[in-house]
Amino acid sequence: MFRGAGDSEFAFELLVSRWAELAWHPAADDRPVVVARQLGTRERRWDTVVVEVDPDALDVRRAFGDRGLDSDLLRVVRGAPREYAWYRDALDDPGFPWRYVREAVHRAAGRDLIEKRGGRNGRIEFRRKREYPDWVERVVAIENKPDLDASAAAALSDQLRHDVDAGLADEVWVATSATGDRVSPALLEDMPVEVGVVEFDFSEGVAADAAEVVWHPTALAADGDPRTRLLLAERAYGKGWRSFRETMRPDCRHFELHREGRALVPYCTAKERVPTAAECKGGCPDFSPEPPQWRTNGWPIEGGPGKGVRALLERRRARERRRAVGEE
């Protein structure tokens, strides 16, 4: 990888996620996508999740806000009637106490997702403001393994078989770093044949042509629970892949954003490399809060550089959302 990445799988994961946002699909024409990191279910967490979307439907989805919708909000929004109705009449029995549904109705109204009013006998009535769109076309899971060797492939075998059989993903890929040597067929034998393998050359950072397909994946049935698939997509929409802006400490004087090709990645001047998410915390021995005067005395970004980093990354995410629906 690029100089300063160290041996961090975290750095590789960021670059793969940015590449997917920029140039997905590795074996076909470009497709509009929403990309996120570290999402999954109780049984399995994926390194990178790529949600291929219908651009027009995604544009409608944007009207429901920038945050993801959890399962309770999805139940209310998708089941909201055209005309006002008591929520117990409008929605199917959830299988748990109705008071939790009532709370979700209040939350949905508070986020301007539905319209709510008090009906007869104090009943809570609601109706839709807009119809929730069918915006998800395909869900793709990527396991990032920059140093893919025989032992790593064998260790991944059971996890990848679970990904193939779970019915939640339309494709499963393993992403690895290009070494200049051809991937051994014997190494591929340790992985399910349905799983694709793509190599990345990030020596100069992220570029659209950084990927080379080594093994093409098989299109999967994706016949698992459709509600779980949609919930994964909603979480991907709300979280994105730049979520490190919330879990790391950009308010540390050692924190910087470095450009690596078409990507911006976190960099620690104390460690002289990309820090991991676990390292970049307030408990880090090198942590040094940005001086108060950085937040005043004419600093060009209101609130100081740490707040500015978060704002910049959020603007980048918003820009890619606009690009996915054809606005840029």
Side-chain angles (χ1 to χ4, degrees), residues 159-179:
Q159 298 176 46
L160 295 173
R161 173 49 59 191
H162 174 274
D163 296 343
V164 169
D165 294 341
L168 297 178
D170 296 89
E171 280 181 3
V172 177
W173 290 82
V174 171
T176 188
S177 290
T179 63

Side-chain angles (χ1 to χ4, degrees), residues 244 250 255-259 264-267 308-310 312-313:
F244 65 85
F255 187 98
E256 296 180 353
L257 285 179
H258 278 198
R259 176 172 291 281
L264 290 176
V265 298
Y267 185 84
V309 165
R310 291 190 173 100
L312 172 62
L313 293 173

Side-chain angles (χ1 to χ4, degrees), residues 5-18:
D7 58 356
S8 171
E9 288 194 14
F10 173 68
F12 184 74
E13 183 175 292
L14 294 180
L15 298 183
V16 169
S17 299
R18 171 56 179 149

Side-chain angles (χ1 to χ4, degrees), residues 190-228:
D190 289 325
M191 296 188 293
V193 68
E194 299 92 340
V195 176
V197 179
V198 57
E199 285 187 338
F200 287 98
D201 180 0
F202 289 138
S203 57
E204 301 296 328
V206 172
D209 60 355
E212 181 179 356
V213 175
V214 176
W215 184 265
H216 289 264
T218 300
L220 304 175
D223 54 0
D225 183 0
R227 292 174 298 179
T228 301

